[in-house]
Structure formats: C-alpha cells, structure tokens
Amino acid sequence: MLDVGDDAPEFELPNQHGETVRRSDFDGQRLVVYFYPRANTDGCTTEACGFNDALERFDDADVAVVGISDDSVSDLETFAAEYDLEFDLLADEMGEVATLYESYGEKRMFGNTFDGVFRNTYVVGPDGTIDAVYEDVTPDGHAEELLEDLADRPVAQCD
C-alpha cells in the first residue's frame, strides 16, 4: 500500500461517459479514489450507492469521489445508469492505475486464481499527496466512515 505522505500517482482514465478524467483535475481539493473489483456485484453496488447517497455531503466538504475498476466503459455506463450514480466511475481495464495504487494483483475465489482489483481506498489531499489509506474495506458504511474521518481531519487553512 502507498503510505500517508506519498505522492498520489497521476492517472488518466475514461469515465462511464468516455470522457477523460485525470487525478490532477482535482488538484486543490481532496479526492477519494476508491478501487472496487466489479461493477454490478453486490458489494460493489452497496459501496457505490453509499458514496452516491452521501455525495452531497462530500461536495459540501469540497471532496470529490471517483471509483476505479477494471470494467469496460460500457459496463460502467450500464452500472451508473442502473443506479443513477452521479460521480465518475473510471475504466482501468488493464489494471495499470490500480497497480500504481497497489490495488491490483493475484486473487483467489472459489478455488480459482486470477488478477483483479483489491477493495482499497485512498484520500488524496489538495497538494496531491496521500492523506489517508483504507485497505480491504467493507463496502457497507464505507462512505460514512470516510466522512467521519474527513471531518476529524480538516484541511489546513492559510490566512
């Protein structure tokens, strides 16, 4: 895992609308970058809907949210439309960005071994460094956990 204080790796990925989104687009504000294994599965839907339900509170705190998986743009478009998701879901089909964020690798499920995305979250600070790290998160309640933690760690203000 990346550590608090590390520079957050830059990324440039298409969102569910095929539009390019870069990490640097969010310079000057906090950014939640959450990695999830597969769109339209139970845990990933729970997590995405949790972020979507809390999106206004993230906006009020000047915190942007993006979700990243190795799904295709068309799969993300379907997922976002089905659940009226109002934030960017980014397609990292080859797992390159997830690898940079140490959130991609070998997984085992039902006796099978495969490469996939780990359920990790990073909070990137306004200066582009990692503010917080959450490894192997539980989807249910994760957005609320982040909001509570962010409220406890306000961004330093310059006078």
Side-chain angles (χ1 to χ4, degrees):
M1 295 292 294
L2 298 172
D3 292 319
V4 171
D6 288 349
D7 288 334
E10 181 60 56
F11 58 76
E12 182 175 312
L13 294 170
N15 69 8
Q16 67 267 35
H17 308 294
E19 303 162 341
T20 299
V21 176
R22 295 170 188 80
R23 194 221 24 95
S24 59
D25 293 342
F26 303 96
D27 285 350
Q29 75 177 124
R30 281 182 167 162
L31 172 65
V32 170
V33 179
Y34 84 91
F35 292 89
Y36 63 99
R38 184 71 49 219
N40 238 349
T41 58
D42 290 344
C44 297
T45 300
T46 296
E47 188 172 23
C49 289
F51 278 112
N52 203 61
D53 291 347
L55 199 55
E56 186 173 317
R57 292 169 45 214
F58 280 102
D59 289 342
D60 289 347
D62 195 28
V63 178
V65 175
V66 297
I68 300 177
S69 71
D70 60 357
D71 292 299
S72 68
V73 169
S74 62
D75 286 346
L76 295 179
E77 181 180 36
T78 300
F79 181 48
E82 183 171 344
Y83 294 99
D84 297 318
L85 302 177
E86 299 178 16
F87 59 92
D88 286 320
L89 299 175
L90 307 181
D92 182 25
E93 291 188 66
M94 301 307 294
E96 293 168 346
V97 171
T99 298
L100 291 174
Y101 280 80
E102 299 178 21
S103 296
Y104 191 85
E106 188 175 282
K107 298 172 78 170
R108 292 179 185 267
M109 187 180 300
F110 307 118
N112 297 314
T113 302
F114 58 95
D115 287 338
V117 178
F118 305 133
R119 194 181 303 280
N120 297 329
T121 299
Y122 292 91
V123 177
V124 179
D127 63 353
T129 62
I130 302 295
D131 271 358
V133 177
Y134 300 81
E135 187 174 9
D136 194 26
V137 303
T138 300
D140 191 24
H142 184 49
E144 292 297 323
E145 171 189 25
L146 281 168
L147 284 166
E148 289 173 17
D149 289 352
L150 290 168
D152 290 342
R153 288 187 297 228
V155 175
Q157 299 295 318
C158 298
D159 293 326

